[in-house]
Amino acid sequence: ASRVNLFVHAGNSLAVCASMSEDMVSLRGFMIGASSCSMAFNMLQPAPLWTPVYWGGFFAAMHAYQLGKIFREQQSAVSLSGREHELYESAFLPHGFTPRQFLRLMQTGEFVTLEPGEWCALQGEPVEALFFVTGISPEASVELQQLQPTSSSPHDGPPVQDVSKEMRLLRRVDSIDGVL
């Protein structure tokens, strides 16, 4: 076996390390190394294989560009308000969100406090916003209103129970904090 084949073994070992990596920085670093080994192997052939070398260079450059984006993003500071920090830790951190991802999501929403008598949602009405409830007062309530089944004559048999028409969920809010 030629020593040139060692580049194949080293490159594939780096690719295996990349596939087992959970950290994006190390994954991309391993892939740059794997592409470099592949390029070296293809260039050191008796008749160099330039097409795979060019593709390897493209992939290495792509990974290097993505690494640059990650490093630039890591350099900018992330600052959460007390309220944002509490929401992030209680509801987003357990599901793997990074603080930066959470802030991007928060740019599309805002904290709101619904006042007494305001409705959060009415069944059958179009939803205008998605609410993530972060706090609720003891006075807030969820009301269910039972509607009467449609009348039927004795000849029609028992009334048909259509749950979507029988039960209307009404939510009356007396003090709910949330993210809209």
Side-chain angles (χ1 to χ4, degrees):
S2 168
R3 289 183 185 223
V4 173
N5 289 340
L6 294 177
F7 283 108
V8 172
H9 298 299
N12 286 327
S13 297
L14 290 170
V16 168
C17 290
S19 69
M20 294 176 22
S21 177
E22 293 182 13
D23 176 50
M24 194 55 72
V25 171
S26 60
L27 182 147
R28 293 201 181 275
F30 284 133
M31 288 309 295
I32 289 171
S35 293
S36 299
C37 288
S38 172
M39 291 168 57
F41 173 78
N42 287 304
M43 284 190 296
L44 294 174
Q45 296 301 308
L49 303 171
W50 293 109
T51 301
V53 170
Y54 298 144
W55 277 109
F58 171 75
F59 287 120
M62 182 181 62
H63 287 297
Y65 172 75
Q66 293 297 330
L67 273 175
K69 283 178 55 176
I70 291 170
F71 290 139
R72 279 190 302 278
E73 189 174 277
Q74 288 177 347
Q75 286 178 348
S76 61
V78 174
S79 176
L80 300 174
S81 70
R83 198 172 188 188
E84 288 171 336
H85 188 266
E86 182 180 323
L87 175 61
Y88 170 71
E89 283 195 342
S90 67
F92 290 85
L93 178 62
H95 298 287
F97 281 80
T98 66
R100 195 169 312 281
Q101 291 169 329
F102 170 72
L103 280 179
R104 271 185 265 168
L105 183 62
M106 287 300 297
Q107 288 174 349
T108 63
E110 62 183 303
F111 282 100
V112 296
T113 300
L114 299 175
E115 299 300 325
E118 286 186 281
W119 295 89
C120 179
L122 279 172
Q123 183 175 347
E125 296 294 322
V127 177
E128 296 177 8
L130 174 65
F131 285 89
F132 185 87
V133 177
T134 59
I136 188 166
S137 73
E139 296 83 31
S141 64
V142 174
E143 298 175 0
L144 296 176
Q145 180 183 7
Q146 177 71 41
L147 301 179
Q148 297 299 320
T150 56
S151 62
S152 61
S153 71
H155 305 290
D156 292 339
V160 176
Q161 297 293 323
D162 181 355
V163 176
S164 66
K165 292 181 181 172
E166 292 297 316
M167 189 68 75
R168 181 185 303 156
L169 175 64
L170 303 174
R171 293 186 184 177
R172 185 174 63 74
V173 178
D174 286 329
S175 181
I176 293 182
D177 290 334
V179 178
L180 172 63

PDB file of all heavy atoms in Angstrom, residues 21-48:
ATOM      1  N   SER A  21     -19.815  14.396  15.861  1.00  0.00           N
ATOM      2  CA  SER A  21     -19.698  15.645  16.609  1.00  0.00           C
ATOM      3  C   SER A  21     -21.055  16.315  16.772  1.00  0.00           C
ATOM      4  O   SER A  21     -21.854  16.367  15.845  1.00  0.00           O
ATOM      5  CB  SER A  21     -18.741  16.588  15.871  1.00  0.00           C
ATOM      6  OG  SER A  21     -18.677  17.813  16.527  1.00  0.00           O
ATOM      7  N   GLU A  22     -21.307  16.826  17.963  1.00  0.00           N
ATOM      8  CA  GLU A  22     -22.540  17.568  18.217  1.00  0.00           C
ATOM      9  C   GLU A  22     -22.310  19.079  18.135  1.00  0.00           C
ATOM     10  O   GLU A  22     -23.263  19.846  18.071  1.00  0.00           O
ATOM     11  CB  GLU A  22     -23.101  17.197  19.589  1.00  0.00           C
ATOM     12  CG  GLU A  22     -23.584  15.762  19.652  1.00  0.00           C
ATOM     13  CD  GLU A  22     -24.172  15.408  20.994  1.00  0.00           C
ATOM     14  OE1 GLU A  22     -24.439  16.313  21.801  1.00  0.00           O
ATOM     15  OE2 GLU A  22     -24.350  14.203  21.239  1.00  0.00           O
ATOM     16  N   ASP A  23     -21.059  19.471  18.158  1.00  0.00           N
ATOM     17  CA  ASP A  23     -20.698  20.887  18.101  1.00  0.00           C
ATOM     18  C   ASP A  23     -20.439  21.277  16.650  1.00  0.00           C
ATOM     19  O   ASP A  23     -19.644  20.642  15.961  1.00  0.00           O
ATOM     20  CB  ASP A  23     -19.455  21.131  18.959  1.00  0.00           C
ATOM     21  CG  ASP A  23     -18.967  22.561  18.854  1.00  0.00           C
ATOM     22  OD1 ASP A  23     -19.794  23.480  19.026  1.00  0.00           O
ATOM     23  OD2 ASP A  23     -17.768  22.753  18.596  1.00  0.00           O
ATOM     24  N   MET A  24     -21.112  22.317  16.180  1.00  0.00           N
ATOM     25  CA  MET A  24     -21.008  22.713  14.783  1.00  0.00           C
ATOM     26  C   MET A  24     -19.601  23.195  14.424  1.00  0.00           C
ATOM     27  O   MET A  24     -19.143  22.974  13.310  1.00  0.00           O
ATOM     28  CB  MET A  24     -22.046  23.795  14.476  1.00  0.00           C
ATOM     29  CG  MET A  24     -22.258  24.027  13.004  1.00  0.00           C
ATOM     30  SD  MET A  24     -22.687  22.555  12.045  1.00  0.00           S
ATOM     31  CE  MET A  24     -24.336  22.227  12.553  1.00  0.00           C
ATOM     32  N   VAL A  25     -18.910  23.842  15.347  1.00  0.00           N
ATOM     33  CA  VAL A  25     -17.555  24.321  15.057  1.00  0.00           C
ATOM     34  C   VAL A  25     -16.618  23.143  14.815  1.00  0.00           C
ATOM     35  O   VAL A  25     -15.877  23.112  13.823  1.00  0.00           O
ATOM     36  CB  VAL A  25     -17.034  25.234  16.199  1.00  0.00           C
ATOM     37  CG1 VAL A  25     -15.568  25.562  16.008  1.00  0.00           C
ATOM     38  CG2 VAL A  25     -17.864  26.502  16.292  1.00  0.00           C
ATOM     39  N   SER A  26     -16.650  22.155  15.703  1.00  0.00           N
ATOM     40  CA  SER A  26     -15.763  21.003  15.510  1.00  0.00           C
ATOM     41  C   SER A  26     -16.188  20.189  14.293  1.00  0.00           C
ATOM     42  O   SER A  26     -15.329  19.694  13.544  1.00  0.00           O
ATOM     43  CB  SER A  26     -15.707  20.133  16.763  1.00  0.00           C
ATOM     44  OG  SER A  26     -16.976  19.637  17.085  1.00  0.00           O
ATOM     45  N   LEU A  27     -17.480  20.056  14.048  1.00  0.00           N
ATOM     46  CA  LEU A  27     -17.943  19.325  12.875  1.00  0.00           C
ATOM     47  C   LEU A  27     -17.381  19.940  11.595  1.00  0.00           C
ATOM     48  O   LEU A  27     -16.817  19.243  10.745  1.00  0.00           O
ATOM     49  CB  LEU A  27     -19.475  19.320  12.823  1.00  0.00           C
ATOM     50  CG  LEU A  27     -20.123  18.560  11.670  1.00  0.00           C
ATOM     51  CD1 LEU A  27     -21.422  17.957  12.130  1.00  0.00           C
ATOM     52  CD2 LEU A  27     -20.379  19.456  10.479  1.00  0.00           C
ATOM     53  N   ARG A  28     -17.503  21.248  11.467  1.00  0.00           N
ATOM     54  CA  ARG A  28     -17.007  21.912  10.257  1.00  0.00           C
ATOM     55  C   ARG A  28     -15.478  21.854  10.182  1.00  0.00           C
ATOM     56  O   ARG A  28     -14.920  21.705   9.109  1.00  0.00           O
ATOM     57  CB  ARG A  28     -17.525  23.336  10.194  1.00  0.00           C
ATOM     58  CG  ARG A  28     -19.045  23.349  10.002  1.00  0.00           C
ATOM     59  CD  ARG A  28     -19.538  24.644   9.440  1.00  0.00           C
ATOM     60  NE  ARG A  28     -20.976  24.648   9.287  1.00  0.00           N
ATOM     61  CZ  ARG A  28     -21.615  24.165   8.218  1.00  0.00           C
ATOM     62  NH1 ARG A  28     -20.945  23.644   7.228  1.00  0.00           N
ATOM     63  NH2 ARG A  28     -22.937  24.221   8.146  1.00  0.00           N
ATOM     64  N   GLY A  29     -14.798  21.942  11.323  1.00  0.00           N
ATOM     65  CA  GLY A  29     -13.343  21.812  11.334  1.00  0.00           C
ATOM     66  C   GLY A  29     -12.906  20.429  10.861  1.00  0.00           C
ATOM     67  O   GLY A  29     -11.971  20.298  10.052  1.00  0.00           O
ATOM     68  N   PHE A  30     -13.580  19.383  11.358  1.00  0.00           N
ATOM     69  CA  PHE A  30     -13.269  18.026  10.900  1.00  0.00           C
ATOM     70  C   PHE A  30     -13.515  17.883   9.397  1.00  0.00           C
ATOM     71  O   PHE A  30     -12.748  17.237   8.689  1.00  0.00           O
ATOM     72  CB  PHE A  30     -14.111  16.988  11.652  1.00  0.00           C
ATOM     73  CG  PHE A  30     -13.661  16.721  13.057  1.00  0.00           C
ATOM     74  CD1 PHE A  30     -14.584  16.698  14.097  1.00  0.00           C
ATOM     75  CD2 PHE A  30     -12.326  16.447  13.351  1.00  0.00           C
ATOM     76  CE1 PHE A  30     -14.181  16.432  15.395  1.00  0.00           C
ATOM     77  CE2 PHE A  30     -11.922  16.178  14.649  1.00  0.00           C
ATOM     78  CZ  PHE A  30     -12.851  16.173  15.673  1.00  0.00           C
ATOM     79  N   MET A  31     -14.600  18.480   8.903  1.00  0.00           N
ATOM     80  CA  MET A  31     -14.910  18.359   7.476  1.00  0.00           C
ATOM     81  C   MET A  31     -13.906  19.116   6.607  1.00  0.00           C
ATOM     82  O   MET A  31     -13.600  18.675   5.488  1.00  0.00           O
ATOM     83  CB  MET A  31     -16.340  18.824   7.200  1.00  0.00           C
ATOM     84  CG  MET A  31     -17.398  17.846   7.714  1.00  0.00           C
ATOM     85  SD  MET A  31     -17.148  16.134   7.179  1.00  0.00           S
ATOM     86  CE  MET A  31     -17.357  16.275   5.420  1.00  0.00           C
ATOM     87  N   ILE A  32     -13.391  20.221   7.089  1.00  0.00           N
ATOM     88  CA  ILE A  32     -12.331  20.920   6.343  1.00  0.00           C
ATOM     89  C   ILE A  32     -11.102  20.020   6.258  1.00  0.00           C
ATOM     90  O   ILE A  32     -10.476  19.882   5.197  1.00  0.00           O
ATOM     91  CB  ILE A  32     -11.995  22.278   6.987  1.00  0.00           C
ATOM     92  CG1 ILE A  32     -13.152  23.267   6.760  1.00  0.00           C
ATOM     93  CG2 ILE A  32     -10.689  22.843   6.436  1.00  0.00           C
ATOM     94  CD1 ILE A  32     -13.021  24.563   7.531  1.00  0.00           C
ATOM     95  N   GLY A  33     -10.755  19.372   7.376  1.00  0.00           N
ATOM     96  CA  GLY A  33      -9.624  18.447   7.379  1.00  0.00           C
ATOM     97  C   GLY A  33      -9.861  17.264   6.446  1.00  0.00           C
ATOM     98  O   GLY A  33      -8.966  16.852   5.697  1.00  0.00           O
ATOM     99  N   ALA A  34     -11.087  16.709   6.452  1.00  0.00           N
ATOM    100  CA  ALA A  34     -11.406  15.577   5.583  1.00  0.00           C
ATOM    101  C   ALA A  34     -11.319  15.983   4.117  1.00  0.00           C
ATOM    102  O   ALA A  34     -10.762  15.239   3.284  1.00  0.00           O
ATOM    103  CB  ALA A  34     -12.800  15.047   5.912  1.00  0.00           C
ATOM    104  N   SER A  35     -11.828  17.158   3.779  1.00  0.00           N
ATOM    105  CA  SER A  35     -11.751  17.633   2.391  1.00  0.00           C
ATOM    106  C   SER A  35     -10.305  17.861   1.973  1.00  0.00           C
ATOM    107  O   SER A  35      -9.914  17.551   0.839  1.00  0.00           O
ATOM    108  CB  SER A  35     -12.552  18.932   2.229  1.00  0.00           C
ATOM    109  OG  SER A  35     -13.924  18.698   2.392  1.00  0.00           O
ATOM    110  N   SER A  36      -9.506  18.391   2.884  1.00  0.00           N
ATOM    111  CA  SER A  36      -8.084  18.632   2.579  1.00  0.00           C
ATOM    112  C   SER A  36      -7.347  17.326   2.315  1.00  0.00           C
ATOM    113  O   SER A  36      -6.523  17.235   1.388  1.00  0.00           O
ATOM    114  CB  SER A  36      -7.414  19.393   3.720  1.00  0.00           C
ATOM    115  OG  SER A  36      -8.044  20.639   3.902  1.00  0.00           O
ATOM    116  N   CYS A  37      -7.633  16.302   3.115  1.00  0.00           N
ATOM    117  CA  CYS A  37      -7.005  14.998   2.894  1.00  0.00           C
ATOM    118  C   CYS A  37      -7.424  14.416   1.540  1.00  0.00           C
ATOM    119  O   CYS A  37      -6.602  13.844   0.808  1.00  0.00           O
ATOM    120  CB  CYS A  37      -7.374  14.027   4.017  1.00  0.00           C
ATOM    121  SG  CYS A  37      -6.575  14.384   5.590  1.00  0.00           S
ATOM    122  N   SER A  38      -8.695  14.557   1.220  1.00  0.00           N
ATOM    123  CA  SER A  38      -9.184  14.072  -0.071  1.00  0.00           C
ATOM    124  C   SER A  38      -8.505  14.809  -1.221  1.00  0.00           C
ATOM    125  O   SER A  38      -8.120  14.190  -2.225  1.00  0.00           O
ATOM    126  CB  SER A  38     -10.702  14.257  -0.149  1.00  0.00           C
ATOM    127  OG  SER A  38     -11.182  13.969  -1.437  1.00  0.00           O
ATOM    128  N   MET A  39      -8.354  16.114  -1.074  1.00  0.00           N
ATOM    129  CA  MET A  39      -7.684  16.901  -2.110  1.00  0.00           C
ATOM    130  C   MET A  39      -6.227  16.438  -2.276  1.00  0.00           C
ATOM    131  O   MET A  39      -5.746  16.267  -3.403  1.00  0.00           O
ATOM    132  CB  MET A  39      -7.734  18.392  -1.761  1.00  0.00           C
ATOM    133  CG  MET A  39      -9.127  18.983  -1.850  1.00  0.00           C
ATOM    134  SD  MET A  39      -9.251  20.628  -1.114  1.00  0.00           S
ATOM    135  CE  MET A  39      -8.025  21.520  -2.030  1.00  0.00           C
ATOM    136  N   ALA A  40      -5.542  16.224  -1.149  1.00  0.00           N
ATOM    137  CA  ALA A  40      -4.142  15.786  -1.212  1.00  0.00           C
ATOM    138  C   ALA A  40      -4.042  14.429  -1.897  1.00  0.00           C
ATOM    139  O   ALA A  40      -3.174  14.216  -2.760  1.00  0.00           O
ATOM    140  CB  ALA A  40      -3.551  15.725   0.193  1.00  0.00           C
ATOM    141  N   PHE A  41      -4.915  13.506  -1.543  1.00  0.00           N
ATOM    142  CA  PHE A  41      -4.910  12.182  -2.168  1.00  0.00           C
ATOM    143  C   PHE A  41      -5.087  12.294  -3.677  1.00  0.00           C
ATOM    144  O   PHE A  41      -4.370  11.651  -4.461  1.00  0.00           O
ATOM    145  CB  PHE A  41      -6.011  11.305  -1.562  1.00  0.00           C
ATOM    146  CG  PHE A  41      -6.190   9.994  -2.258  1.00  0.00           C
ATOM    147  CD1 PHE A  41      -5.294   8.949  -2.018  1.00  0.00           C
ATOM    148  CD2 PHE A  41      -7.220   9.788  -3.163  1.00  0.00           C
ATOM    149  CE1 PHE A  41      -5.440   7.729  -2.667  1.00  0.00           C
ATOM    150  CE2 PHE A  41      -7.371   8.583  -3.807  1.00  0.00           C
ATOM    151  CZ  PHE A  41      -6.481   7.548  -3.563  1.00  0.00           C
ATOM    152  N   ASN A  42      -6.055  13.097  -4.113  1.00  0.00           N
ATOM    153  CA  ASN A  42      -6.335  13.221  -5.545  1.00  0.00           C
ATOM    154  C   ASN A  42      -5.226  13.956  -6.302  1.00  0.00           C
ATOM    155  O   ASN A  42      -4.973  13.662  -7.466  1.00  0.00           O
ATOM    156  CB  ASN A  42      -7.689  13.897  -5.764  1.00  0.00           C
ATOM    157  CG  ASN A  42      -8.836  12.970  -5.419  1.00  0.00           C
ATOM    158  OD1 ASN A  42      -8.931  11.878  -5.964  1.00  0.00           O
ATOM    159  ND2 ASN A  42      -9.676  13.389  -4.498  1.00  0.00           N
ATOM    160  N   MET A  43      -4.553  14.886  -5.653  1.00  0.00           N
ATOM    161  CA  MET A  43      -3.463  15.604  -6.315  1.00  0.00           C
ATOM    162  C   MET A  43      -2.198  14.748  -6.425  1.00  0.00           C
ATOM    163  O   MET A  43      -1.397  14.931  -7.339  1.00  0.00           O
ATOM    164  CB  MET A  43      -3.123  16.904  -5.558  1.00  0.00           C
ATOM    165  CG  MET A  43      -4.124  18.005  -5.789  1.00  0.00           C
ATOM    166  SD  MET A  43      -3.572  19.606  -5.150  1.00  0.00           S
ATOM    167  CE  MET A  43      -3.478  19.316  -3.402  1.00  0.00           C
ATOM    168  N   LEU A  44      -2.031  13.808  -5.498  1.00  0.00           N
ATOM    169  CA  LEU A  44      -0.806  13.002  -5.470  1.00  0.00           C
ATOM    170  C   LEU A  44      -0.906  11.724  -6.307  1.00  0.00           C
ATOM    171  O   LEU A  44      -0.008  10.879  -6.252  1.00  0.00           O
ATOM    172  CB  LEU A  44      -0.435  12.668  -4.024  1.00  0.00           C
ATOM    173  CG  LEU A  44      -0.049  13.888  -3.173  1.00  0.00           C
ATOM    174  CD1 LEU A  44       0.150  13.487  -1.723  1.00  0.00           C
ATOM    175  CD2 LEU A  44       1.206  14.556  -3.738  1.00  0.00           C
ATOM    176  N   GLN A  45      -1.955  11.564  -7.060  1.00  0.00           N
ATOM    177  CA  GLN A  45      -2.078  10.417  -7.965  1.00  0.00           C
ATOM    178  C   GLN A  45      -1.111  10.591  -9.136  1.00  0.00           C
ATOM    179  O   GLN A  45      -0.729  11.720  -9.468  1.00  0.00           O
ATOM    180  CB  GLN A  45      -3.514  10.306  -8.485  1.00  0.00           C
ATOM    181  CG  GLN A  45      -4.546  10.017  -7.421  1.00  0.00           C
ATOM    182  CD  GLN A  45      -4.257   8.712  -6.699  1.00  0.00           C
ATOM    183  OE1 GLN A  45      -4.075   7.660  -7.310  1.00  0.00           O
ATOM    184  NE2 GLN A  45      -4.177   8.798  -5.367  1.00  0.00           N
ATOM    185  N   PRO A  46      -0.684   9.472  -9.771  1.00  0.00           N
ATOM    186  CA  PRO A  46       0.223   9.599 -10.927  1.00  0.00           C
ATOM    187  C   PRO A  46      -0.338  10.555 -11.982  1.00  0.00           C
ATOM    188  O   PRO A  46       0.404  11.348 -12.556  1.00  0.00           O
ATOM    189  CB  PRO A  46       0.328   8.164 -11.459  1.00  0.00           C
ATOM    190  CG  PRO A  46      -0.013   7.297 -10.291  1.00  0.00           C
ATOM    191  CD  PRO A  46      -0.962   8.085  -9.446  1.00  0.00           C
ATOM    192  N   ALA A  47      -1.641  10.487 -12.225  1.00  0.00           N
ATOM    193  CA  ALA A  47      -2.317  11.473 -13.091  1.00  0.00           C
ATOM    194  C   ALA A  47      -3.304  12.181 -12.176  1.00  0.00           C
ATOM    195  O   ALA A  47      -4.360  11.633 -11.830  1.00  0.00           O
ATOM    196  CB  ALA A  47      -3.038  10.782 -14.242  1.00  0.00           C
ATOM    197  N   PRO A  48      -2.977  13.388 -11.688  1.00  0.00           N
ATOM    198  CA  PRO A  48      -3.847  14.067 -10.710  1.00  0.00           C
ATOM    199  C   PRO A  48      -5.297  14.162 -11.180  1.00  0.00           C
ATOM    200  O   PRO A  48      -5.579  14.400 -12.350  1.00  0.00           O
ATOM    201  CB  PRO A  48      -3.228  15.458 -10.593  1.00  0.00           C
ATOM    202  CG  PRO A  48      -1.808  15.272 -10.995  1.00  0.00           C
ATOM    203  CD  PRO A  48      -1.831  14.198 -12.059  1.00  0.00           C
TER     204      PRO A  48
END
